Amino acid sequence: MSVLESNFGREQKEYYVLSSRWAELPTSCLLAECAVVKELDMHVCTVEDARGVGLSVGEDEGNGAPFDFDVVGRSYADEDDGGGLAGPISGFAGWFTVDFKSRTDDAGKDVAPQIPNPAYLSTGPEMGYTHWGQQVFHLPSAIPLLADQTTRIQGTLEMMRTKDSARLYNVRLRFSSSRRRTSSQDRDGDVLMKGKPEELVYQIP
C-alpha cells in the first residue's frame, strides 16, 4: 500500500478539501464583512471581462483581485455579552448579487429607458435558501481566533475558466494571516503573529 499512499492522499485532498462546494450557509457562519472582487455591467462587458477575475489580459493568471478581512476574537471583558467571535476561520465563501437598474455607463445613461422601480437580487446567506446557494472553499487547516485579538486575512483571488466548460471556473487564493491586539488602532503595526503565505487552487468537483 505504501506505493499508493502519496497519490491516494493527494487525490483525496484535491477532491474533498480543494474543491469548491455548494452550501446553504446561515449568517452565523460569516465572520467578517464581505468584499466585492468583481463587478460586471451587462450592457458593456466583454468576453474578456467575463473570462475570469483578477487575470492578466489573455492569460490564465494575474495579480488577482484583492481582499482584506478583519475577524475579531472574543473579548474577555465582554464574555457575558457575547462580544467577538469564537471562530475558527475554516474557509472562504462566495456568492453574487445583481442590480436591475437604469444604465449608468457613459454610452447609455442618457439614451436608454429609465427603470422607475429598480430591483436587487442577492444570493448571500442573509437571503436564506436560494436556488444558487453559496460556494464554499474550505481551508486544509482552520485558523483559530484568540481572545482580545483580531485576525487579519489579506490576499488575492483569481478565477479562471476550466478547460472543460466556459460556464465553470477554478479559483486560486493567495493569502496570509496575522494577529494584533483588538485594542490597537494600527492595522499594520503591533503585529503579534504573521503566518506564512498560502496558495490554494480549488477546482469544480
Side-chain angles (χ1 to χ4, degrees), residues 103-114:
R103 288 180 65 166
T104 57
D105 60 283
D106 291 337
K109 64 182 180 181
D110 296 324
V111 296
Q114 295 295 301

Side-chain angles (χ1 to χ4, degrees), residues 1 15 23 26 41 43 50 57 60 64 82-83 93 98 114 117 123 128 146 165 169 173 182 186 189 198:
M1 281 296 293
Y15 184 80
D41 185 334
H43 291 293
V57 176
D60 283 336
V98 183
Q114 295 295 301
N117 298 302
T123 62
L146 301 184
S165 173
Y169 293 82
L173 291 165
T182 299
D186 185 357
E198 301 276 358

Side-chain angles (χ1 to χ4, degrees), residues 21-27 30 34-35 38 93-100 119-137:
R21 299 287 173 182
W22 185 95
E24 184 186 340
L25 297 175
T27 54
L30 304 183
C34 60
K38 180 84 170 187
W95 59 88
F96 67 89
T97 62
V98 183
D99 286 294
F100 299 93
Y120 175 76
L121 166 69
S122 173
T123 62
E126 77 280 3
M127 300 306 295
Y129 174 80
T130 70
H131 163 78
W132 300 276
Q134 297 85 45
Q135 287 292 314
V136 176
F137 309 92

Side-chain angles (χ1 to χ4, degrees), residues 38 40 45-62 158-162 165-170:
K38 180 84 170 187
L40 292 172
C45 87
T46 65
V47 173
E48 179 63 30
D49 291 333
R51 198 171 56 82
V53 175
L55 306 179
S56 300
V57 176
E59 302 292 333
D60 283 336
E61 60 181 297
E158 296 165 59
M159 288 176 57
M160 64 291 295
R161 281 178 171 162
T162 67
S165 173
R167 295 179 60 251
L168 303 177
Y169 293 82
N170 293 329

Side-chain angles (χ1 to χ4, degrees), residues 1 3 14 19 38 42 45 51 56 61 66 71 84 100 130 138 155 163 180 185 190:
M1 281 296 293
V3 176
E14 288 177 353
S19 293
K38 180 84 170 187
M42 292 296 135
C45 87
R51 198 171 56 82
S56 300
E61 60 181 297
V71 186
F100 299 93
T130 70
H138 293 284
K163 291 181 170 55
R180 67 181 188 277
Q185 299 301 309
D190 297 328

